[in-house]
Amino acid sequence: MQEATLGRRLLALVIDWAVAALTAALLFGVGYPPEITENLVISAVFLVEVGVLTGLIGVSIGKRVMRLGVEGPDSAPIGVPRALLRTALLLTVLPAVVMTEDKRGLHDLAARSRVIHVPRQR
């Protein structure tokens, strides 16, 4: 299995943040550049969007585009509560920066998850 590189993870995060910002703009009128309170709206949209998608199907929009997935120890999606915990911790940035040798961030350790590379199907 190919490794889920940091570059792919970062691009997936940027895509997910852009989707959350666009969604917040469409649904809640968040402008650009967003003000501090509007950043909280974007963060809330990001939390719900990424948390629910990751919990139910194992991928967010950004991870799907970058062919990444999130799975638990049983290789299944981690469920919404654990995915929301993982995403909330990711929003604080520090857990994603501090990684173990196997490239699992503290948010992955707390949610008992790991990011995997999903190879292209033929």
Side-chain angles (χ1 to χ4, degrees), residues 1-4 9 54 58-59 63 68-78 82-83 86 99-100 102-118:
M1 179 180 293
Q2 203 174 11
E3 182 177 307
R9 292 176 192 206
T54 300
V59 295
K63 282 189 176 49
L68 297 173
V70 176
E71 65 180 20
D74 59 354
S75 299
I78 60 176
R82 285 173 42 203
R86 180 185 186 279
M99 293 191 149
T100 62
D102 63 347
K103 294 195 176 117
R104 290 177 65 204
L106 297 178
H107 61 301
D108 277 319
L109 294 176
R112 296 184 333 270
S113 64
R114 65 181 177 159
V115 178
I116 59 164
H117 180 266
V118 180

Side-chain angles (χ1 to χ4, degrees), residues 3-70:
E3 182 177 307
T5 64
L6 293 178
R8 282 183 180 276
R9 292 176 192 206
L10 182 59
L11 282 172
L13 178 63
V14 169
I15 292 167
D16 284 331
W17 191 260
V19 169
L22 287 171
T23 303
L26 291 172
L27 296 179
F28 305 108
V30 171
Y32 186 82
E35 296 186 19
I36 291 173
T37 54
E38 292 175 323
N39 275 319
L40 293 175
V41 172
I42 295 171
S43 295
V45 170
F46 179 88
L47 175 68
V48 171
E49 187 177 299
V50 172
V52 170
L53 288 172
T54 300
L56 293 177
I57 61 174
V59 295
S60 62
I61 295 168
K63 282 189 176 49
R64 176 75 176 132
V65 169
M66 296 310 301
R67 295 192 334 264
L68 297 173
V70 176

